[in-house]
Amino acid sequence: MAVETPKRYIGKPVKRKEDLRFITGKGLYVDDIHLPGMHYAAFLRASYAHARIKSIDTSKAEKIPGVVGVFTGEYFRDKVAPLGTAWALTNADLKPVTWPVVAYDKVRFTGDIVAVVVAKDPYIAYDALDAIEVEYEQLPTVVDPEEAVKPGAPQLHDEAPNNIAFTWRFQGGESFEDLERKADFVIRKRLINQRLIPSAMEPRAAVAAYNPGTEELTVWVTSQNPHVHRLIMAGSLGIPEHRIRVIAPDVGGGFGSKIQVYPGEVIVSRLAMDLGVPVKWVETRRENFIGTIHGRDHIDDVEIAATNDGRILGLRVKTLANMGAYLTTAAPGVPTILFGLMLQGPYKIAGVDVEVKGVLTNTTPVDAYRGAGRPEATYILERAMDLVALRLGMDPADVRRVNLLDKAPATTVTGLIYDSGEYKKVFEKALEIAEYKKWREIQEKARKEGRLIGIGISSYIEMCGLAPSRIARATGFGLGLWESVLIRVHPTGKVSVYVGSHPHGQGEETSFAQIVADELGVSIDDVEIVHGDTDETPFGMGTYGSRTTPVGGGALALAARRIKRKARKIAAALLEAREEDIVEGEGKFWVKGSPDKAVTFQDVALAAYTADKLPDDVEPGLEATVFYDPENFVFPYGTHVCIVEIDPETFKPKILRYVAVDDAGVIINPLLAEGQVHGGVVQGLAQALFEEAVFDERGNLLTAGFNDYMIPTALDVPNIESYFEQTPSPHNPLGAKGIGETGTIASTPAVVNAIIDALAHLGVDHIDMPLTPFKIWKALKGKK
């Protein structure tokens, strides 16, 4: 039996173990990899967003001292297969659009690579790019998805007529037509979810080295999922998977942009094999803005069927999702499965009807960005709540009270089964903490003084902990969505944990160690977490979709419990007692009624390897491997409240207060969880107020650097008050839900709703993001 003892680590704000190496400059990133004989690659990218390549003259570049070779698309055409999507979306007429690693016939966006220089010095490689002469036949360009689907629009791919990569339709619950007849009114509104650039602190990079004796390729790459990287690269390079070792060392942020397999890492791998030298490429910041995936970019035409008491009966959404020039690794699933199935949110909506067209344009490809589909759905729902409130003259809080589900478990009209939650309780708690009634009184008084104060609410729910495999495969995902772990207890009782997940800033070297230490009763300092190396870790699906703790952590708990069961058997043999008489707790085993007769976990570990006192049915060693496939997603939820004031002279909004109340199930480490909420909120308010990727009509990215692409500074970020409720999820052994994307999902509509609330009495019901001072001024122009 196990003695119920307080958790020593789970639920405690343990400081991150990994931070010491980061804050002392001892982190190891791809750019820190230096190998003997290293050569350097630089990429020449397209001069036009849409053009045929007529000729490429590399002769001048090849004569530059230090240049080893210049390689064009024709060189790679038969050596490397083009990259496709790993999410073959079902029932969507998905077109087979692929991305050549180096363009050989035509370019489709300015991030396309047309030539590669390899040199003995990185500066020589970049200088040589200027000596390459490319003759293009410029083609008409289209960047607007509405224009792209019109007859006669420039066509990017022969395989995708009218530039439509897929059409996905979902209808759940009652039909919108029936609900429209029951409704007292229908609101129709176009909402724009603008394009964003992930802009992680560390740009992408890759180093490749080939051993011709063993025919093994080693690739260091900035990846959120090294095993998936290895699998896709094996297919593209045409070499056996077991001959490739992918190492993702410390990764300086990803936000979804390092899920994908890109041309860069495939190119340097091929060249390392062909040239017989290690080849390195590190992305410049401009390349990061142009060549690394973007996020969001929806045009959503929304219809809301509602009644005069504030109930939203049904929602119909028609979406044009700008996919950019190619379909990348996870792209088709983001604006469909992860978006459409969340359009009921935490509300009692009776019917959801959604159609999504994935549209190809001469722009950077669009894929998963923090939240990935869930922020887009929540934005629609939370704007809908406020639009109904404005139409009826109701308080936005009262509209939500009418529509909120009470609690979970609950089954939605989109077919999801919410796991656990007290939705109304958390809603009221957020309003109470934020002093909602008080701020309404302040707002009323401020309006009489000519001040513009607004209060915004955002109640969200998300599906995350991406799994299970049966659902993933049913939607066309390339593999199952399980997670793996190997826990190895050494003879001294020290513990090595090899995980298929790959943290890149979330802190799992600490939180995973907390889980294992509590399960086994050892010190957290005796647990090491090993990740990111395909030769050392079991095949895992990686880190994204807030899945690392509920899925990867679930695997950890199960593996540790297997080890404990074996340890009990060994302890019983050491104590010469029956297994059923063994009591365990705080890292010790003893015979029931005789606490003085005990052995430690370290004693048991040593006995597992000396092997001379093991029961007949127990093998030597003490380790366990688990591949864990959850039964369902997890569904964190919460309510965020934002209070803003708009300067009536500059029209700049200032956030006066921000309150977040989130239920992410059992919190493993509140310090890390709060950090995730804070980071997410900042990225969400950045979309609401600052960020927007802008292309001109010729496909040139006008916001190709931080001078033009605005992100918030510390001066723009308010104090974020973060609170947690904890209703355990029954869908994994820890009761945990995801936390990494909640802030991004909730904060954007909270900020937007607050600003519109400040302006509503002046006749403003909506402004598309980002809500810059200029846009606010424009909306108020001519108003009193």
Side-chain angles (χ1 to χ4, degrees), residues 48-51 138-143 154 362 696-700:
Y48 301 98
H50 200 197
Q138 194 171 355
L139 299 172
T141 303
V142 62
V143 299
N362 296 117
D696 68 15
E697 68 277 2
R698 293 174 296 180
N700 297 307

Side-chain angles (χ1 to χ4, degrees), residues 162-209:
N162 302 313
N163 296 314
I164 297 175
F166 56 83
T167 301
W168 183 82
R169 174 80 186 278
F170 179 85
Q171 193 275 323
E174 298 182 50
S175 72
F176 187 81
E177 291 77 12
D178 289 343
L179 294 169
E180 187 175 19
R181 284 190 286 270
K182 296 177 183 178
D184 293 314
F185 60 92
V186 175
I187 296 174
R188 294 177 173 85
K189 181 66 70 173
R190 168 165 285 197
L191 303 177
I192 306 297
N193 215 292
Q194 81 273 30
R195 180 181 285 233
L196 304 177
I197 300 174
S199 44
M201 185 179 294
E202 178 201 23
R204 292 186 300 106
V207 173

Side-chain angles (χ1 to χ4, degrees), residues 562-582:
R562 285 188 188 178
I563 285 176
K564 275 202 302 187
R565 288 195 292 270
K566 182 174 181 179
R568 281 171 54 82
K569 290 178 179 289
I570 298 172
L574 294 176
L575 294 168
E576 298 179 337
R578 297 184 306 170
E579 185 182 342
E580 54 266 33
D581 292 333
I582 297 298

Side-chain angles (χ1 to χ4, degrees), residues 142 144-155 161-164 320 359:
V142 62
D144 183 337
E146 283 193 296
E147 295 298 320
V149 298
K150 290 180 179 178
Q155 296 294 294
N162 302 313
N163 296 314
I164 297 175
L320 290 180
V359 183

